Amino acid sequence: MLHHTPAVVAERKALRINPAKTCQPVGAMYAALGIHRCLPHSHGSQGCCAYHRSHLTRHYREPVMASTSSFTEGASVFGGAPNLRQALATIFDVYDPDVVAIHTTCLSETIGDDIPSILKKAAADGIIPQGKRVFHANTPSYVGSHVTGFANMVRAMVETFPVPAAERMEAVNLIPGYVEPSDMREVKHLAKMLGVDARVFPDTSGVLDAPQTASFRMYPSGGTPVSVLERLGQSRLTVALGPTASEPAARFLEAAHGVPCRVLDLPIGLRATDRFVQTLLEDAGGALSPELNDERGRLVDLMTDMHAHLHGKRVALWGDPDPVVSLTEFLADLGMKPVCVLTGTPGKRFELRVRGILKKTAPRAVVGAGADLFFLHQVVKKEPVDLLIGNTYGKYIARAEDVPHVRFGWPILDRVGHAHFPTLGYRGGLYLLTRIVNTLLERADRDAPDEELELVL
Amino acid sequence: MSKSRIPTAPAVDPEEFVEELVRRYPAKVAKKRRRHILVRDPSEPQSIEANVRTVPGIITQRGCCYAGCKGVVIGPIGDMVHITHGPIGCGYYSWLTRRNLFRPRADGANFLHYCFSTDMQEEDIIFGGEKKLREAIREAVELFRPKAVSVHATCPVGLIGDDVQAVAREMEEELGVPVLAFHCEGYKGVSQSAGHHIANNNLFKAAVGRDDLEPSSPFAVNILGEYNIGGDAWEIERVLERCGIRVWAVFSGNGSIDDIRRAHTAQLNLVMCHRSINYMAEMMEKAYGIPWVKVNFIGVRAMAKSLRKIVAYFEDPDLSERVERVIADEVERAERDLAPYRERLAGKTVVLFVGGSRAHHYQDLFRDLGMRTIAAGYEFAHRDDYEGRHILPTLKMDADSRNIEELKVGPHPEKYRPRLPAERAEELRRAGLIDHYEGMLPDMEPGSLVIDDISHLELEMLIKRYRPDLVCSGIKDKYVIEKFGVPSKQLHNYDYRGPYAGFRGAVNFARDIDSMIHSPVWKLVRPPWEKEPCLRAELTA
């Protein structure tokens, strides 16, 4: 397995091997699915849309609906306006969404299609029916990663929907970040427990974890309603979870509507969740609930119970910057040693944050943004680790190096649970920690000689 | 109602259904889509529109030219390094997502678990990406020492004018390693199909005929258009080798570039997926004199029939006796293993909407199981795949596909060697045994539906009206279909199972289909309190 990968790292300037990121539009498609009765639309050639739908489907095992402009060579040379106009006419006539959220691809970005003016004309020509909303985000695939695409689409939401506010309401905007439907549920659960009136967007719970009822619904019950998006400008505060995914939208709301914002780490692990809760208590008008203390206490209890099995374990982890930063902190708090921490998404902040967290725990850790899994494999080949934490693509490294692997992040194509069980919040921490501990214990059982196999661990 | 998951399929008038269906579209779209749909009527020659542009916004199943070239035809060659020249997405999504399995040869080379990309950035779009591509090829060769490298262009590459073929020539010279470049930008053509053609052209020009090693067997065949999904090619090879037929090269499942280079010394080409590889079959016949036979290795009877076609071609008494022995043995075992499933599946209805060949191939296997195909269609096949190759001379190229290069191929000056005497070849051609494919339509039941490039709306209406027992499609549709309470078999990736080809594959397939249709879960979808009236008893003292 992967035996062409040498342990010695040679500098690569041009060749990307086994990326730890993908391109913008899939993130935008995911974000758009977090609006109720919204159809994502990919303005490019149809291959992108097919790939993005397929990949989201593999991850969620759910229908993922999206349409495309289906560029041909002619459109690629002369512009995609006629394709987009035709697409909108067909979409509204046949599929009747309330909202169409357009994103672009490297094709339409390279030829420079001017979507605002196409949409303006389409509206004037009656192609967009009254009361229907069409908006867009530019998501060039050659900039950033899928996380950038998510951030761009969420920012486009707040550029589009909020109406000017006459008065401030008590409500708090909550941007949960590029996380799973289960995580969005968890964020809502925490807000509710503290009595915070939260406007969560985007929200894919109820969309990408829809129940089986033997009746397909093109637009499932979930998703943030447009009426909520329209009121985002009236809120007293925006809490943005995960700076890479959520900060651009929060900053826009601040600048355009005067809604102040707090940008926090994704609440993965104990301390990041503590900071989120503190923010809800101090800035968002939340009130402490005894149940919350119990939830926290249960997580700390498991941390103390199992600490011995975790202490000093060397971990390599990768994924999207926001979840990886928080997870690194959690692992360090568990007494583990994150010795290799990478993201495929470019950006300087990641390295600064991770190095800051690991200053004492693992000062020599390999930390990098814009990195790939080929490099990660080389690192762990040279200095072996006890555990890999990251998406499904890591399974090849796990097999090659015979290291246990906890699936975490996006995409997870070969296991289930990620859409249903959170990694955010105290309960998410409990679930994540359970999987980490049990994976290590499974491995300990497998490796123990017969005479040392323990009944109780 | 509670007894059966699926209400008995209502008697649907297919003509009325088609009218109802197209009425749901705006007038212009309705007119277009009507030409892609027909109700099978064997009493007259029927014609369908295919291989034309997708209606924007209609929610198609289709992918792009890059997927057809890199993802389908070239990607499975396991001992080459395939570099995607573009932003990261295209390479990423085609990384290990098609299940074209590969077993390394003696040299151990296997690059299929890797994804290689130039990961183009904004500056590459602005200043051009040729320099980065050159460097990427250099790094790939230094790191991996592959026997050959391929380069696949993506959407922006054509627009910014990167000349990947010029870069490939330059790097081939500099590094001494063959570099095959494909201008398979996603917007070319109207579907994956254009990518197949582009892949065929360059693989033919740059690889086939480069190594004259001769097979030791007189019965050496290539299998064209077989991608070894879930191990299909291995099961086919098992049977053929048992028959004494040597598999010389496979295009391109479990493919090695070495095999492909020497493929021109085989005696016969077997064409499995007509759509993706018929170009190669034709070009190899013109250049090297190798005829081709259309085969279908899916289904017990289809497998036996295909073996007999090979026997008819070779006209060798020993071979034919051996093949008949193998058929008798394999069929007996397969029939015995299939019998219990057939009992449980006979009479069930199925609809098939798959790429460019399986929607036809699997009808044979479903017939083996006593199941009925009530509707079928392709994403991106051409009219000859529906109607048969005899219509080829009447096909007109439309503007969207005109720019796909058509290679002019003549007999190779040294290597052309007709495998059959001219009159024998003519006889086989007239009999339809060689160089012919009759298409899917003749195999469809009267009154069944044929739909090309089916849209989400059409699939949804079809399921609601016909209530089939099974729908075969791909990953994008699977959970849509199952949310209707109808089991869905992915016929692209086999739901991570297989092989389904050959005699043993047929049994695997029957077992999997039976397990899906008869899964206990379908009867548990509705909660009991919705099925039964709620009874409430009151306790009285």
Side-chain angles (χ1 to χ4, degrees):
Chain A
M1 188 56 61
L2 299 179
H3 65 265
H4 301 284
T5 307
V8 181
V9 178
E11 196 201 359
R12 275 179 288 135
K13 289 201 207 90
L15 187 66
R16 171 71 65 210
I17 313 173
N18 301 351
K21 64 167 180 186
T22 182
C23 64
Q24 285 208 35
V26 74
M29 186 182 281
Y30 180 66
L33 290 165
I35 299 176
H36 184 55
R37 289 191 60 80
C38 173
L39 186 68
H41 180 84
S42 169
H43 187 54
S45 55
Q46 65 208 8
C48 314
C49 186
Y51 275 144
H52 298 141
R53 289 180 64 203
S54 296
H55 229 58
L56 287 169
T57 303
R58 291 180 184 115
H59 178 81
Y60 289 109
R61 297 169 206 268
E62 283 294 313
V64 173
M65 304 311 293
S67 54
T68 161
S69 296
S70 291
F71 271 60
T72 56
E73 189 155 18
S76 307
V77 176
F78 300 111
N83 292 57
L84 186 51
R85 289 166 61 89
Q86 279 178 39
L88 289 170
T90 307
I91 289 164
F92 282 117
D93 204 320
V94 178
Y95 296 116
D96 192 36
D98 288 347
V99 183
V100 175
I102 301 169
H103 61 261
T104 55
T105 68
C106 46
L107 172 52
S108 51
E109 287 293 330
T110 303
I111 65 174
D113 265 353
D114 178 5
I115 296 189
S117 58
I118 300 173
L119 292 184
K120 211 168 154 192
K121 189 148 188 317
D125 295 346
I127 292 173
I128 301 169
Q130 286 293 318
K132 301 287 184 180
R133 306 294 296 268
V134 181
F135 74 107
H136 91 287
N138 293 97
T139 52
S141 314
Y142 43 76
V143 176
S145 76
H146 55 294
V147 190
T148 321
F150 180 93
N152 285 341
M153 181 51 83
V154 180
R155 185 189 148 107
M157 289 176 195
V158 296
E159 288 170 349
T160 304
F161 292 100
V163 292
E167 51 178 336
R168 287 274 157 236
M169 314 289 277
E170 268 305 292
V172 171
N173 301 331
L174 204 58
I175 313 179
Y178 197 166
V179 294
E180 302 291 354
S182 49
D183 295 319
M184 298 186 183
R185 280 183 200 285
E186 189 61 26
V187 164
K188 288 190 284 189
H189 160 77
L190 285 170
K192 194 175 168 193
M193 213 169 17
L194 300 181
V196 172
D197 178 11
R199 292 168 178 169
V200 177
F201 74 98
D203 180 4
T204 55
S205 64
V207 179
L208 288 165
D209 57 0
Q212 166 66 279
T213 58
S215 59
F216 169 76
R217 287 179 69 179
M218 179 139 179
Y219 306 107
S221 62
T224 309
V226 167
S227 58
V228 170
L229 294 175
E230 283 173 344
R231 294 200 303 270
L232 294 175
Q234 311 166 348
S235 302
R236 62 183 272 179
L237 177 74
T238 300
V239 178
L241 302 180
T244 323
S246 305
E247 181 163 10
R251 293 285 174 219
F252 180 87
L253 278 169
E254 189 170 57
H257 295 274
V259 183
C261 72
R262 302 278 178 279
V263 180
L264 305 175
D265 289 327
L266 272 184
I268 292 173
L270 189 73
R271 280 199 288 161
T273 305
D274 285 349
R275 292 194 292 273
F276 174 49
V277 168
Q278 286 277 71
T279 304
L280 290 185
L281 290 174
E282 285 166 16
D283 302 326
L288 192 60
S289 107
E291 283 165 56
L292 182 92
N293 276 341
D294 287 352
E295 267 187 24
R296 183 182 191 278
R298 280 192 284 271
L299 176 57
V300 181
D301 192 52
L302 185 64
M303 290 168 73
T304 52
D305 290 348
M306 301 315 277
H307 180 261
H309 294 288
L310 301 168
H311 188 82
K313 288 277 190 291
R314 295 165 54 85
V315 191
L317 66 151
W318 69 95
D320 300 338
D322 298 340
V324 168
V325 164
S326 301
L327 180 60
T328 304
E329 184 185 47
F330 189 35
L331 297 177
D333 288 342
L334 290 165
M336 301 178 88
K337 257 184 163 10
V339 291
C340 177
V341 186
L342 302 177
T343 181
T345 299
K348 288 202 179 76
R349 181 157 57 179
F350 176 82
E351 201 176 323
L352 284 175
R353 286 282 284 120
V354 173
R355 286 213 180 283
I357 291 165
L358 295 179
K359 213 160 43 199
K360 287 197 189 117
T361 321
R364 287 181 46 250
V366 176
V367 180
D372 58 34
L373 292 184
F374 185 78
F375 174 64
L376 182 130
H377 188 184
Q378 293 186 302
V379 171
V380 302
K381 240 180 191 314
K382 225 169 131 212
E383 293 193 52
V385 293
D386 302 301
L387 186 65
L388 296 169
I389 306 182
N391 64 15
T392 284
Y393 295 96
K395 80 192 272 178
Y396 295 87
I397 301 172
R399 175 185 282 231
E401 302 307 320
D402 194 19
V403 179
H405 173 204
V406 170
R407 282 157 184 79
F408 172 85
W410 190 88
I412 295 172
L413 309 170
D414 61 340
R415 296 290 188 273
V416 291
H418 43 274
H420 302 295
F421 303 100
T423 55
L424 259 56
Y426 300 120
R427 297 196 301 193
L430 212 51
Y431 176 61
L432 184 58
L433 180 53
T434 302
R435 284 190 301 157
I436 291 172
V437 171
N438 288 349
T439 302
L440 289 169
L441 295 182
E442 289 280 354
R443 179 52 179 255
D445 279 349
R446 197 198 85 180
D447 290 349
D450 281 1
E451 64 277 18
E452 288 173 30
L453 184 67
E454 300 270 359
L455 178 73
V456 184
L457 284 170
Chain B
M1 187 66 201
S2 66
K3 193 173 136 276
S4 158
R5 173 185 55 79
I6 298 161
T8 318
V12 185
D13 180 327
E15 299 283 357
E16 263 174 37
F17 172 73
V18 173
E19 293 317 314
E20 183 189 324
L21 211 162
V22 294
R23 264 203 308 274
R24 292 279 300 273
Y25 287 121
K28 270 190 196 159
V29 177
K31 213 172 134 200
K32 280 186 202 155
R33 286 303 305 155
R34 184 66 191 85
R35 295 198 289 262
H36 293 261
I37 306 173
L38 59 81
V39 177
R40 177 64 186 148
D41 176 2
S43 70
E44 55 180 70
Q46 286 183 296
S47 162
I48 192 167
E49 179 118 282
N51 190 34
V52 298
R53 64 171 66 172
T54 313
V55 176
I58 200 164
I59 310 193
T60 176
Q61 302 172 323
R62 283 176 167 180
C64 67
C65 180
Y66 165 86
C69 179
K70 193 269 184 180
V72 173
V73 180
I74 305 299
I77 304 172
D79 51 8
M80 281 176 74
V81 162
H82 306 297
I83 301 175
T84 299
H85 185 38
I88 201 66
C90 311
Y92 185 85
Y93 300 113
S94 58
W95 176 21
L96 289 168
T97 44
R98 276 189 103 239
R99 300 178 59 227
N100 34 248
L101 307 186
F102 176 74
R103 205 172 274 149
R105 308 302 199 266
D107 62 10
N110 178 9
F111 302 109
L112 286 203
H113 298 127
Y114 295 89
C115 164
F116 305 97
S117 171
T118 53
D119 190 6
M120 288 175 90
Q121 300 298 303
E122 202 154 23
E123 60 268 23
D124 304 314
I125 301 294
I126 297 166
F127 302 109
E130 290 186 7
K131 193 172 152 221
K132 193 173 193 185
L133 176 59
R134 266 186 222 109
E135 184 56 28
I137 298 170
R138 218 172 270 134
E139 288 175 359
V141 169
E142 274 164 24
L143 265 169
F144 299 100
R145 304 276 159 208
K147 281 180 264 192
V149 174
S150 76
V151 174
H152 301 264
T154 61
C155 287
V157 170
L159 302 173
I160 63 172
D162 276 2
D163 186 344
V164 298
Q165 258 146 7
V167 171
R169 278 194 299 274
E170 215 178 288
M171 297 315 292
E172 185 165 321
E173 199 156 302
E174 180 189 313
L175 302 167
V177 173
V179 182
L180 283 62
F182 299 87
H183 264 296
C184 53
E185 287 86 348
Y187 54 73
K188 288 193 171 165
V190 298
S191 68
Q192 290 92 315
S193 181
H196 302 149
H197 199 161
I198 289 166
N200 276 236
N201 286 350
N202 215 12
L203 198 60
F204 178 80
K205 278 196 295 195
V208 174
R210 298 300 174 99
D211 172 1
D212 294 331
L213 181 74
E214 293 276 346
S216 51
S217 162
F219 311 117
V221 300
N222 301 316
I223 307 177
L224 272 52
E226 165 52 57
Y227 302 101
N228 200 30
I229 305 298
D232 275 355
W234 292 326
E235 164 63 6
I236 296 167
E237 196 167 339
R238 179 189 71 81
V239 177
L240 291 181
E241 296 281 340
R242 222 189 137 191
C243 293
I245 298 162
R246 179 76 195 278
V247 176
W248 191 234
V250 180
F251 289 67
S252 49
N254 190 38
S256 157
I257 187 68
D258 292 339
D259 299 353
I260 286 169
R261 282 186 181 130
R262 61 178 197 206
H264 64 294
T265 60
Q267 293 299 322
L268 176 66
N269 280 335
L270 308 177
V271 171
M272 184 68 187
C273 171
H274 177 260
R275 181 67 269 133
S276 66
I277 210 84
N278 76 91
Y279 318 96
M280 179 66 74
E282 272 195 82
M283 291 188 289
M284 283 179 74
E285 178 152 22
K286 283 184 187 145
Y288 301 106
I290 310 176
W292 61 272
V293 168
K294 176 72 183 79
V295 289
N296 178 20
F297 294 131
I298 305 293
V300 176
R301 281 175 293 182
M303 180 83 196
K305 189 176 160 194
S306 296
L307 291 173
R308 291 191 175 111
K309 276 185 167 181
I310 301 168
V311 166
Y313 170 83
F314 280 114
E315 278 193 308
D316 181 280
D318 287 346
L319 179 72
S320 95
E321 198 198 310
R322 203 160 48 231
V323 169
E324 285 305 328
R325 269 207 313 272
V326 172
I327 289 176
D329 180 49
E330 295 273 350
V331 169
E332 192 200 320
R333 269 208 295 168
E335 289 290 333
R336 188 189 60 214
D337 294 345
L338 284 179
Y341 300 119
R342 188 185 294 122
E343 218 163 274
R344 294 152 60 85
L345 293 170
K348 302 262 184 227
T349 57
V350 56
V351 306
L352 301 151
F353 290 96
V354 206
S357 74
R358 288 167 210 241
H360 183 198
H361 289 157
Y362 274 78
Q363 293 188 28
D364 280 321
L365 182 41
F366 282 117
R367 261 191 294 272
D368 285 342
L369 299 174
M371 293 173 70
R372 288 180 50 219
T373 301
I374 55 172
Y378 298 122
E379 275 173 58
F380 51 72
H382 301 192
R383 278 183 57 202
D384 44 319
D385 304 292
Y386 287 105
E387 301 171 44
R389 280 179 74 91
H390 63 275
I391 61 127
L392 278 175
T394 68
L395 278 191
K396 281 191 204 78
M397 187 74 76
D398 79 354
D400 292 323
S401 299
R402 213 170 25 222
N403 290 343
I404 313 300
E405 190 189 10
E406 197 74 53
L407 289 188
K408 296 274 171 286
V409 176
H412 192 283
E414 293 112 48
K415 299 182 185 178
Y416 180 79
R417 189 154 48 85
R419 302 308 200 268
L420 298 170
E423 54 288 8
R424 167 93 178 127
E426 200 37 50
E427 190 187 311
L428 293 182
R429 211 164 278 132
R430 265 201 313 275
L433 186 85
I434 60 167
D435 309 344
H436 185 62
Y437 175 43
E438 80 286 0
M440 176 169 85
L441 281 185
D443 267 352
M444 301 282 304
E445 270 184 50
S448 59
L449 286 172
V450 181
I451 306 179
D452 175 68
D453 185 19
I454 194 171
S455 70
H456 170 79
L457 171 77
E458 294 158 21
L459 184 65
E460 185 172 317
M461 286 180 72
L462 184 69
I463 292 170
K464 282 184 185 157
R465 283 302 296 276
Y466 280 85
R467 296 303 300 183
D469 294 298
L470 179 72
V471 178
C472 298
S473 183
I475 183 71
K476 297 190 294 297
D477 296 329
K478 181 180 174 82
Y479 302 102
V480 172
I481 297 157
E482 297 205 331
K483 280 281 196 280
F484 279 108
V486 176
S488 172
K489 183 72 195 165
Q490 297 185 65
L491 276 192
H492 294 275
N493 72 15
Y494 300 167
D495 293 308
Y496 325 105
R497 301 176 71 94
Y500 289 155
F503 296 111
R504 290 187 190 163
V507 178
N508 291 339
F509 188 71
R511 186 192 55 226
D512 290 351
I513 292 299
D514 178 55
S515 78
M516 296 181 85
I517 293 186
H518 294 111
S519 164
V521 75
W522 297 115
K523 288 183 183 156
L524 303 172
V525 172
R526 287 175 64 207
W529 49 90
E530 279 180 15
K531 284 196 283 198
E532 309 290 340
C534 217
L535 291 179
R536 186 173 303 183
E538 269 178 41
L539 286 177
T540 48

